[in-house]
Amino acid sequence: MNPQHESFSIALVTSVDGAGNPTGYSDLASTTSFTAPNIHNHDSFSIERYNAGNDTSGTPYTIFNTTFDQGPGGVIFTLDDFNVSAGSTIYGYSLFGFDVSTGGDAANLVDWTNSTYFPGNTDGGEGTAGGFDFSGVNGIFFRDVAFAVIPEPSVYGIGGIAVVVLSLFRRRRRSSLAA
Amino acid sequence: MSHRWISIFVIAVALLGNAASGLRAQTTITAATTTLTDGADATANGFTYRNQTLALDTFTAGGETYAVTGQASQVFVRRGSSGVARSHIWYETASNAGDRFGPYITNIEDAILGNNLNLGIHNMFANVGGSSANIERVDLIVSGGMTAAEGFAIPVLISA
């Protein structure tokens, strides 16, 4: 499948307080709606609703069961998307609905109760700022393997031989000059 | 080369650079490798939870391959003051209304923070409507911070 996915926003956390609460953010990055191939196909799925905040231990209300393929597909974000330089210290990231804005200042992302930047009427309908489903892959960080190549032991060996040969050459040259 | 052509060349390079940067957020994941682990089943709420985890190991995007380097240690679910504070979890199932492949989860934070492709969160940021949860922001935090090395990437996976 190659389904359509709705928009959302994301920002890197650039500072936190002692409890881990974000106190600073990078630029806000957003997607437009996108299509992406499923990286895992589902034969069927169910959605369960719980009415007790974060607590999901109680008996749920099943919104629906279906044989529709709910498999996830996605996009990636790199440091350029956040205007953050390589080597910077970050403290993770935050996810936002697509209707969240910064007003030109990323500091406005800190207070999620400010309805000027966090609208309290985000719609959950299909194709809207709140009408999409995240997968259970969150808070996982990746790196392009091209930047993480560890030299083979043979490379270290060749390097060591080169250093020895160069040292011998310079020593012999100094001896010749002295003579 | 005249100054005019040099100017055109410089502007073209600048425009191409901006376009490439702006498009990166839309770089889709085209392939992935995963690892399946299977724990002891649990029974709750009339369902069997098979306690399986289908973890994302590597993915390909924009012709590059990316591998896992780290994981957040804390998650905070930030809700607004109005509306009903609900949680919605979707589960991949073995059949229509059948066994849930994922683990039995007693807190939505455990469904959000992790690496499992067979479950997720439904309508996470909706404030209105039957499937609203009144969540405004979700923070995935690395205690003590981390260095964002060259080649760093965050995948965000959305279900259909």
Side-chain angles (χ1 to χ4, degrees), chain A residues 6 17 19 24 102 128 135 154 158 163 172:
Chain A
E6 286 82 17
D17 64 16
T102 65
T128 63
S135 77
S154 59
I158 291 170
V163 169
R172 187 172 178 179

Side-chain angles (χ1 to χ4, degrees), chain A residues 78-134:
Chain A
T78 64
L79 294 176
D80 287 348
D81 297 316
F82 304 109
N83 197 24
V84 168
S85 301
S88 300
T89 298
I90 63 168
Y91 296 84
Y93 65 93
S94 294
L95 294 167
F96 309 84
F98 183 65
D99 55 0
V100 168
S101 63
T102 65
D105 184 354
N108 289 321
L109 298 175
V110 173
D111 181 6
W112 71 90
T113 67
N114 188 337
S115 61
T116 298
Y117 306 106
F118 291 81
N121 59 350
T122 307
D123 196 346
E126 195 71 25
T128 63
F132 56 94
D133 299 349
F134 284 95

Side-chain angles (χ1 to χ4, degrees), chain B residues 10 12 16 23 25 32 38 49 57 60 91-93 95 107 117 120 140-141 144-145:
Chain B
V10 169
L16 283 171
L23 285 172
D38 194 358
Y49 295 81
D57 294 329
T60 303
Y91 283 97
E92 179 184 3
T93 55
S95 60
N107 193 301
L117 288 165
L140 299 137
I141 303 299

